Amino acid sequence: MKDTHTHFSRDAVSDGAKTLGLVLTVLILCAGFLVGLCWFLRPEKSETEKRELTKFPTFTMESFLSGEFTDQISLWYADTFPGREGFIKVYHGIESLFGIRGEQFQQGSIGDLVPDGPMDPNTPIDRPTNGGESGEQVGGYYLSGDTAYELYSFSQSGAQTYAALMNEAARLTAGKAKVYDLIIPLHYTYALGAGVQDSMSLPDAGKVIPYMYSGMNDDVHTVDVYAALMAHRDEYIYFRTDHHWTATGAYYACEAFCKQAGITPTPLSSYEKLSFGGFLGTLYSKTGQPSAMGKNPDVVEAYIPKGTNDEYIYDANGGDRTRYQGGVVRRDTDRFYQAAASKYNCFLMGDHPLIEIHNENISADRKGTTVLLVKESFGNAFAPFLVDSYEHVFVVDYRYYNGTLTELVNDKGVDDVIFLNNVVATTGGARLSEMEDFIQ
């Protein structure tokens, strides 16, 4: 009898807990539904996304009978849910920890064909002959052993829009600052053989980037990052488990920029180098955490600027200025960013709307020089190499910053503006819309 009573009591407690859980779940869902019905709480505009939200549809018998009216109500309900801005900011905050935002990843569609011209006839067209033959495509990614590659689909309209935005940036800053544009290829460009790339209809970066550059006028100074990285394609210039390039790859791009801008680049060998092991990046998580990648994580190498390692971070509106010593490259990354996925945040402490760096130890011939780096997350590993070439370095992430290009150029006395985007960001969608909002 005692055992039976005990068994009965445990079952009763278990059933009671399940019932309580069910009741609480229903209450939470009902509360959310009731909040959603509060018309006066519904936003009409998204400051985060910089757009007007869906409006409540106008009733017509035709739209009602076709089902369009109810579909529009569903869209309105989801798009204007009270508190959506808070949820979006939390989501973007989580994404920023991994150095990505929004449409960074493509889904492997074939995309548009790259036109044969016009393009710069002096651009070297060189593709690897082998690599990746034993791999497989998984959605918008390609897996080969312990390495994953993000794939890319070319958009002709996106490329033309991107070129037009660079021309507009040069027009707006004419007589004040020089505009430079750096388009960064993806890892597959250098690591996968031409046959593998062709089998997946991947666009050839050796044609894509010159095509985009050919749409820019002479006031936009384009930098051939494609060729600069191709010369070092056998080195560790991209991560295996993450979609970003390494600091070494970023250095070669900065070296190419410096040579074109008439600046003597600081030798890579002269920097103090730090290494942070155990990095498992975005491609590791996006491809289902393959065991081969998990057993062989990346190492994040970072180079400490000589002049200063301090930075000031601003919010999206240019306020709340906060100084971080050792913020350009975090020496204590292994302690400060312990998660295996967050090691890339050693650069600039991750993505921020606006950062400024002042090098009081700049050489005499570079005194008074100011640069503005306009970037997405690929620019984080690039920015530290600018510190020893300019007295004042401003880094703006156009995805988060609410100000404009002309305001920054005028307020900061900018000499050079560098636009740095990986090739996916030039495709279209949110990135081009955000760039357009900034280039004013």
Side-chain angles (χ1 to χ4, degrees):
M1 292 295 292
K2 185 177 180 180
D3 290 341
T4 303
H5 178 70
T6 302
H7 180 68
F8 173 79
S9 299
R10 289 175 178 171
D11 287 347
V13 171
S14 178
D15 290 343
K18 290 179 180 178
T19 301
L20 179 60
L22 178 61
V23 170
L24 289 175
T25 301
V26 171
L27 288 175
I28 291 172
L29 291 174
C30 289
F33 178 74
L34 290 174
V35 170
L37 293 178
C38 296
W39 285 62
F40 63 94
L41 293 177
R42 288 187 171 275
E44 297 180 351
K45 183 179 180 180
S46 171
E47 296 298 332
T48 302
E49 298 174 286
K50 299 179 181 179
R51 67 177 179 89
E52 297 291 332
L53 300 177
T54 303
K55 298 185 182 301
F56 192 86
T58 301
F59 177 83
T60 65
M61 185 57 69
E62 181 180 1
S63 65
F64 177 77
L65 293 175
S66 67
E68 181 181 355
F69 181 72
T70 53
D71 289 342
Q72 287 299 312
I73 288 180
S74 297
L75 180 60
W76 163 83
Y77 185 88
D79 203 30
T80 63
F81 194 89
R84 73 184 301 280
E85 290 290 283
F87 291 122
I88 290 174
K89 288 179 180 178
V90 170
Y91 174 71
H92 286 166
I94 294 173
E95 279 191 314
S96 69
L97 293 177
F98 298 91
I100 64 174
R101 179 172 178 190
E103 298 171 347
Q104 180 68 52
F105 296 99
Q106 300 298 292
Q107 297 306 310
S109 59
I110 293 177
D112 299 335
L113 295 176
V114 183
D116 291 330
M119 67 170 64
D120 183 355
N122 296 316
T123 300
I125 304 299
D126 187 15
R127 302 173 75 192
T129 56
N130 44 48
E133 283 80 359
S134 61
E136 61 176 331
Q137 186 173 355
V138 180
Y141 314 99
Y142 184 81
L143 290 173
S144 180
D146 61 359
T147 304
Y149 304 90
E150 179 187 5
L151 307 183
Y152 158 68
S153 303
F154 173 72
S155 166
Q156 185 171 1
S157 62
Q160 292 170 342
T161 299
Y162 181 79
L165 287 173
M166 295 303 102
N167 290 336
E168 178 66 4
R171 186 189 71 80
L172 290 172
T173 59
K176 300 175 183 177
K178 280 188 176 182
V179 171
Y180 294 85
D181 186 57
L182 284 72
I183 301 176
I184 315 304
L186 298 184
H187 189 188
Y188 79 76
T189 298
Y190 306 104
L192 298 184
V196 174
Q197 293 186 40
D198 292 342
S199 70
M200 292 186 288
S201 300
L202 296 177
D204 181 0
K207 294 182 178 180
V208 166
I209 295 175
Y211 174 75
M212 284 189 273
Y213 282 166
S214 70
M216 301 177 193
N217 60 42
D218 293 339
D219 292 327
V220 180
H221 304 273
T222 60
V223 179
D224 192 356
V225 177
Y226 171 83
L229 294 181
M230 186 62 76
H232 298 275
R233 67 187 181 201
D234 294 329
E235 299 179 32
Y236 190 35
I237 58 175
Y238 286 88
F239 294 114
R240 291 176 294 95
T241 70
D242 191 70
H243 65 288
H244 293 106
W245 55 5
T246 66
T248 302
Y251 173 79
Y252 292 133
C254 191
E255 183 180 47
F257 159 74
C258 285
K259 290 179 179 178
Q260 182 155 337
I263 301 170
T264 302
T266 303
L268 187 62
S269 59
S270 68
Y271 286 103
E272 177 189 355
K273 183 172 75 172
L274 302 179
S275 296
F276 308 109
F279 178 44
L280 294 171
T282 51
L283 298 183
Y284 173 69
S285 60
K286 291 285 184 179
T287 54
Q289 302 181 352
S291 60
M293 296 170 69
K295 293 177 182 178
N296 191 21
D298 278 299
V299 175
V300 179
E301 297 176 337
Y303 299 87
I304 304 292
K306 294 175 174 295
T308 182
N309 200 29
D310 295 353
E311 68 180 17
Y312 295 86
I313 294 177
Y314 294 81
D315 63 22
N317 296 313
D320 295 334
R321 183 174 185 257
T322 304
R323 182 184 183 186
Y324 289 92
Q325 293 184 314
V328 179
V329 173
R330 291 288 309 213
R331 289 183 177 274
D332 57 350
T333 287
D334 284 331
R335 179 179 64 83
F336 199 78
Y337 301 111
Q338 295 183 9
S342 64
K343 303 297 183 181
Y344 188 76
N345 284 337
C346 71
F347 306 113
L348 304 182
M349 297 178 63
D351 293 321
H352 298 281
L354 179 63
I355 294 172
E356 68 175 33
I357 306 161
H358 302 290
N359 182 5
E360 297 178 356
N361 300 309
I362 195 72
S363 60
D365 63 315
R366 298 298 295 169
K367 280 285 186 182
T369 55
T370 302
V371 64
L372 172 64
L373 173 63
V374 184
K375 61 86 181 177
E376 32 81 7
S377 59
F378 267 66
N380 296 10
F382 182 92
F385 297 116
L386 295 175
V387 174
D388 295 315
S389 295
Y390 292 87
E391 183 174 2
H392 309 290
V393 178
F394 294 89
V395 183
V396 64
D397 195 318
Y398 60 83
R399 302 170 298 172
Y400 303 95
Y401 187 62
N402 291 335
T404 66
L405 172 65
T406 51
E407 290 171 351
L408 283 174
V409 169
N410 292 334
D411 293 347
K412 309 301 183 183
V414 173
D415 301 303
D416 296 329
V417 177
I418 303 172
F419 283 88
L420 187 150
N421 287 283
N422 80 83
V423 70
V424 175
T426 69
T427 302
R431 297 295 80 79
L432 291 185
S433 178
E434 290 158 346
M435 271 185 264
E436 184 176 11
D437 289 340
F438 174 71
I439 300 174
Q440 296 181 29

